[in-house]
Amino acid sequence: MKPTSEPCTEAKIVYEKPLSGVYDEILFGSASRNTLWVHFADSLGMVEWIGKFDCGSYGGNKVTKIAEPDEFFVCAGGWVYLVNATTRKLIEEPYRDEHVHDAIFEPMSGGVLTADWSSISLVKSGKTIWSVRIATDGIRDLQLEGRTLRGLGEFDYDGSERKFALDLETKKHRVGLRIVSNLAKGNAKPWWKFW
């Protein structure tokens, strides 16, 4: 690692494999699987390095600054890494779950909201804090706006996707124009019961 007085404050995903030897490369996971490359740099561009992150099987590749001056959230194929870009070290152990499709950092709790086939979960330090089932077969494209999580999900068992919004306080979500509660429905008939 090159000594620097400037923190690494910038990060971006690199979509083509960088030339070997151009940047210092730090490996975060196995090099034998899918890899997400992230370029980190100080504000002057004097110190630059590449983080090579082991990837999950699904989408959700993103990098976001989570704390000044140099802490970043990296979602690599749905797997979650929290990195200090100046020290080039993980802040905590990565969260890896083969079922996660997408993830986004949730600053109020300091945890990560993850989406799998049917649920949204808040994970902090590798432990699930809460989980809410909201879809039938796939959730992706997570975006956080205040205390509302937005994204796309399959809700109708026909492969179509619809936008949804999940209130992180009440754990209720809205799909289209109707509100769907995650509380028990009482005597509601199961979707699979036809008689």
Side-chain angles (χ1 to χ4, degrees), residues 23-88:
Y23 301 105
D24 287 342
E25 295 180 2
I26 306 297
L27 184 65
F28 297 99
S30 170
S32 63
R33 295 180 46 93
N34 294 333
T35 301
L36 176 71
W37 294 279
V38 178
H39 175 261
F40 295 94
D42 66 2
S43 61
L44 302 174
M46 299 294 290
V47 176
E48 299 175 292
W49 63 280
I50 296 287
K52 293 171 67 174
F53 296 89
D54 197 10
C55 282
S57 301
Y58 300 102
N61 295 334
K62 58 184 83 164
V63 60
T64 308
K65 185 180 279 189
I66 59 172
E68 292 294 340
D70 56 4
E71 293 183 4
F72 291 88
F73 161 82
V74 176
C75 181
W79 291 2
V80 174
Y81 301 85
L82 302 177
V83 180
N84 181 303
T86 302
T87 64
R88 304 178 187 192

Side-chain angles (χ1 to χ4, degrees), residues 57-58 97-102 114-121 131-140 152-155 157 161 164:
S57 301
Y58 300 102
D97 182 333
E98 287 295 333
H99 302 288
V100 173
H101 288 205
D102 199 359
T114 64
D116 61 20
W117 295 101
S118 60
S119 302
I120 300 289
S121 302
S131 187
V132 176
R133 182 177 167 88
I134 67 165
T136 59
D137 193 26
I139 302 168
R140 64 181 186 87
L152 292 173
E154 292 183 32
F155 297 93
Y157 292 101
E161 292 182 312
F164 72 87

